Amino acid sequence: MDSQRNILLIALMFVSFMLYLNWNETNNPQPQGQGVTQQAQHSGDVPAGSDASQPLTQDSVSNKLITLHSDVLTLTVDTQGGDIVRAELNKYDAEFDSKDKFLLLKNQPNHVFVAQSGLIGPDGIDTLKGRAEFTTNGTDFSMANGQDELRVPMTVVKDGITYTKTFILKRGNYAVDVDYTIDNKSDKAATVQMYAQLKQNLMDDGGSLTMPTYTGGAYSADDTKYKKYSFDDMQDKNLNLTISKDGWAAMMQHYFVAAWIPHADGDANLYTRTSDGQGFIGVRYPTTTIAPGTTTTMDATLWVGPKLQDQMEATAPNLNLTVDYGWLWFIASPLHWLLATIYGFVGNWGVAIIILTFIVRGAMYPLTKAQYTSMAKMRMLQPKLAEMRERIGDDRQRMSQEMMELYKKEKVNPLGGCLPLILQMPIFIALYWALMESVELRHAPFMLWIQDLSAPDPYYVLPLLMGASMFLIQKMSPSTVTDPMQQKIMTFMPVMFTVFFLWFPAGLVLYWLVSNVVTLIQQTLIYRALEKKGLHSRK
């Protein structure tokens, strides 16, 4: 099998991969609009309790807001209920070269995405009639220079019981602790149940053929390390799972995620529901009883930030899996680690990608050498194969047997030229996901006109150079293809790849371009060595 046919094979695999992504997007559409499922337990923001059959009023954000500032987060909290209705990521721009910061949580007319938590039950402060109004000693709280932690308490008193909700922000950390301290100074026991949930509009999961990103729910439970649960899934069936130890409930999008991590004393319930065109995913704690004259604390952690794998893994088991590398995670994960390690030395993600490419192609050099050697031996056998076809005629079984005997005698593996190319595709696809899911590459500059490796090349220079390098590889590779149709297909292949890569992230195109350049270098060296052995001819 000559190199042109090998290129055709890898191209067909590549196109099949892209068509699969498109098919998956088409056959798993996400809901749009504001449909309401019949399976929703009730309307409103308070999760189901003992009185879930009663109607609820839809709570809106009040005008009493407070703001919490750390070095990486700016949170806006509604004192009615104590929900986080806005989360601004101070280290990330909304768009490339924008003065505005990225908003992960928001409460806008066209997009609601908020983190809610509260206390329900007989003595809870979040009821079917409304939510409690907390009081604070200010409206704007900032982490001072040299301060590693910011604690902002909010209080409400009801029937002799003091409820204190405290937000705890830590320097350099996107994990926000939310504590409820219940001081029961009444003369009877108080029974409450804590919940924490994320609310967002039902929407399409987003993405495109070349950028198949996901927006929707995800969770981790006892028997499931990580599983997506889309808005479509939420409308079809409500989740009702038990978390006895590690677990979390999240809503994720490209590069960013919000997740509640419960710290319940006992089994927690993980649930989803939909109501009034909005989806909910959250956790409900077991019921807690506070005896008269005693104090109890319940808490949860909210991750609200970028998909930083090390920090997420330190925050909760399996939370780092929201960086979704797909079924090739076992290749993509070490590639990302290696890429990040290289970046730690060179300080430029584009240069890190180039070095990574040389490492990957260098590791594959023995296979590449075997590929071209096998191709050369196959070309040497072409006259014998032609004579064999003429002698045997249409007897395919005999032809196959004698061909295998010839290969065995000459010690030639007819598939030897395909293996390196077949291995390249999983690596390419894994690197595709590694680069797609790496928030570190978001708005990361390379040099000159490439100022965002996560976006397509604005001037299409890299895709055009990549196409040209493919054309050179074809020209350097000798061919035994005589069929005019096959020749046209092979000539058109670089053009097809170039068109595909016009919309690919610049970082991925850079990898493929450098990979082609390395291939050209390796081809030249290997062919020179083969010519000395008399195994190679370009004629």
Side-chain angles (χ1 to χ4, degrees):
M1 181 178 293
D2 60 32
S3 60
Q4 276 81 3
R5 287 179 180 174
N6 289 337
I7 294 174
L8 178 60
L9 173 65
I10 194 173
L12 290 175
M13 293 174 66
F14 173 78
V15 173
S16 299
F17 167 65
M18 299 309 300
L19 290 176
Y20 165 76
L21 293 179
N22 190 45
W23 175 88
N24 189 61
E25 180 180 358
T26 303
N27 288 272
N28 294 278
Q30 300 302 314
Q32 301 184 43
Q34 303 295 317
V36 180
T37 176
Q38 293 292 329
Q39 297 180 5
Q41 295 174 345
H42 51 75
S43 62
D45 293 349
V46 181
S50 59
D51 48 5
S53 61
Q54 300 182 32
L56 291 174
T57 58
Q58 186 73 16
D59 291 334
S60 59
V61 176
S62 71
N63 294 322
K64 299 179 180 179
L65 306 175
I66 64 172
T67 306
L68 320 180
H69 302 270
S70 74
D71 58 329
V72 296
L73 287 171
T74 298
L75 305 180
T76 300
V77 178
D78 186 0
T79 57
Q80 182 178 333
D83 297 336
I84 301 176
V85 297
R86 179 184 170 97
E88 187 175 295
L89 310 187
N90 301 337
K91 302 292 185 179
Y92 293 86
D93 295 338
E95 301 291 343
F96 177 73
D97 205 22
S98 170
K99 295 181 180 179
D100 298 326
K101 298 304 178 183
F102 183 82
L103 285 181
L104 181 53
L105 302 182
K106 62 195 73 173
N107 191 75
Q108 300 172 345
N110 61 339
H111 190 182
V112 174
F113 184 16
V114 298
Q116 301 178 308
S117 57
L119 298 174
I120 56 177
D123 299 290
I125 52 177
D126 296 295
T127 69
L128 299 171
K129 296 180 180 180
R131 308 184 65 191
E133 180 74 34
F134 286 94
T135 60
T136 62
N137 59 0
T139 59
D140 195 272
F141 304 86
S142 297
M143 184 178 291
N145 293 332
Q147 186 180 5
D148 292 329
E149 183 179 277
L150 174 66
R151 302 178 69 94
V152 180
M154 308 164 57
T155 59
V156 61
V157 179
K158 177 185 175 184
D159 300 329
I161 305 173
T162 301
Y163 302 85
T164 303
K165 184 174 188 177
T166 305
F167 292 92
I168 306 170
L169 285 69
K170 299 178 182 178
R171 182 172 296 278
N173 204 322
Y174 293 93
V176 179
D177 293 328
V178 180
D179 293 355
Y180 274 98
T181 300
I182 306 166
D183 184 7
N184 186 4
K185 296 180 180 178
S186 69
D187 57 359
K188 63 178 182 178
T191 301
V192 299
Q193 187 178 24
M194 182 178 173
Y195 74 92
Q197 66 184 16
L198 297 161
K199 176 178 74 170
Q200 187 169 195
N201 295 97
L202 300 174
M203 62 179 65
D204 189 276
D205 67 346
S208 63
L209 179 62
T210 56
M211 300 277 284
T213 57
Y214 172 77
T215 299
Y219 68 90
S220 179
D222 290 357
D223 299 325
T224 306
K225 288 185 177 181
Y226 165 73
K227 186 175 179 62
K228 293 178 181 177
Y229 206 75
S230 67
F231 292 119
D232 194 17
D233 294 329
M234 294 180 193
Q235 292 193 106
D236 288 341
K237 183 180 179 180
N238 287 332
L239 271 180
N240 185 17
L241 303 175
T242 298
I243 304 177
S244 60
K245 46 180 181 177
D246 301 324
W248 42 262
M251 283 192 179
M252 51 190 282
Q253 60 194 64
H254 195 204
Y255 296 135
F256 303 98
V257 62
W260 278 111
I261 301 103
H263 307 301
D265 186 11
D267 292 350
N269 171 246
L270 191 151
Y271 63 88
T272 64
R273 61 189 178 90
T274 58
S275 175
D276 294 336
Q278 295 175 331
F280 299 77
I281 186 168
V283 290
R284 186 186 297 106
Y285 286 33
T287 299
T288 299
T289 300
I290 304 97
T294 63
T295 301
T296 295
T297 298
M298 291 175 282
D299 64 295
T301 298
L302 174 69
W303 175 274
V304 53
K307 296 178 182 178
L308 300 175
Q309 296 184 58
D310 292 342
Q311 285 195 30
M312 288 193 296
E313 189 174 13
T315 301
N318 305 316
L319 187 59
N320 60 305
L321 297 182
T322 56
V323 181
D324 192 350
Y325 292 137
W327 62 279
L328 288 172
W329 59 268
F330 56 93
I331 300 176
S333 185
L335 282 176
H336 177 271
W337 174 85
L338 180 57
L339 184 65
T341 301
I342 297 171
Y343 172 78
F345 288 98
V346 300
N348 183 294
W349 287 106
V351 175
I353 290 173
I354 293 173
I355 296 175
L356 176 67
T357 308
F358 275 92
I359 292 175
V360 171
R361 293 312 306 268
M364 293 180 62
Y365 179 75
L367 288 174
T368 303
K369 184 177 180 180
Q371 169 194 357
Y372 290 123
T373 302
S374 176
M375 289 165 55
K377 289 182 178 180
M378 285 294 295
R379 282 191 295 275
M380 291 180 63
L381 295 180
Q382 289 303 313
K384 293 183 179 180
L385 291 173
E387 184 275 331
M388 188 183 298
R389 292 189 186 94
E390 184 176 349
R391 174 169 49 85
I392 295 175
D394 296 332
D395 190 341
R396 295 185 178 181
Q397 183 175 359
R398 183 184 171 190
M399 180 69 182
S400 178
Q401 290 175 347
E402 293 200 15
M403 284 176 63
M404 295 307 296
E405 290 177 2
L406 179 63
Y407 293 151
K408 185 176 181 180
K409 178 182 177 181
E410 299 292 340
K411 298 181 180 180
V412 173
N413 181 3
L415 298 179
C418 299
L419 182 60
L421 292 171
I422 293 174
L423 290 177
Q424 280 185 56
M425 281 310 297
I427 294 175
F428 169 75
I429 296 171
L431 187 64
Y432 171 87
W433 288 113
L435 297 180
M436 280 283 296
E437 284 289 300
S438 296
V439 68
E440 295 88 348
L441 267 67
R442 181 180 185 265
H443 300 168
F446 173 39
M447 61 174 61
L448 302 176
W449 70 95
I450 304 296
Q451 295 299 309
D452 185 359
L453 287 166
S454 67
D457 183 338
Y459 303 113
Y460 308 118
V461 175
L462 291 181
L464 292 174
L465 290 175
M466 188 277 303
S469 65
M470 284 192 66
F471 181 77
L472 288 175
I473 291 174
Q474 280 194 9
K475 286 296 183 182
M476 283 188 62
S477 302
S479 173
T480 59
V481 175
T482 58
D483 181 69
M485 181 59 67
Q486 289 189 35
Q487 289 179 346
K488 290 181 180 179
I489 292 175
M490 298 313 304
T491 303
F492 182 71
M493 204 60 63
V495 178
M496 185 187 70
F497 264 67
T498 301
V499 172
F500 266 117
F501 276 69
L502 290 177
W503 293 278
F504 270 44
L508 189 68
V509 184
L510 177 64
Y511 165 80
W512 198 256
L513 170 60
V514 176
S515 180
N516 285 350
V517 172
V518 175
T519 297
L520 288 168
I521 296 172
Q522 291 179 341
Q523 243 184 352
T524 301
L525 296 176
I526 293 171
Y527 283 166
R528 285 179 180 175
L530 291 176
E531 285 174 350
K532 291 180 180 179
K533 295 180 180 180
L535 293 178
H536 175 59
S537 174
R538 299 189 184 185
K539 297 181 180 178

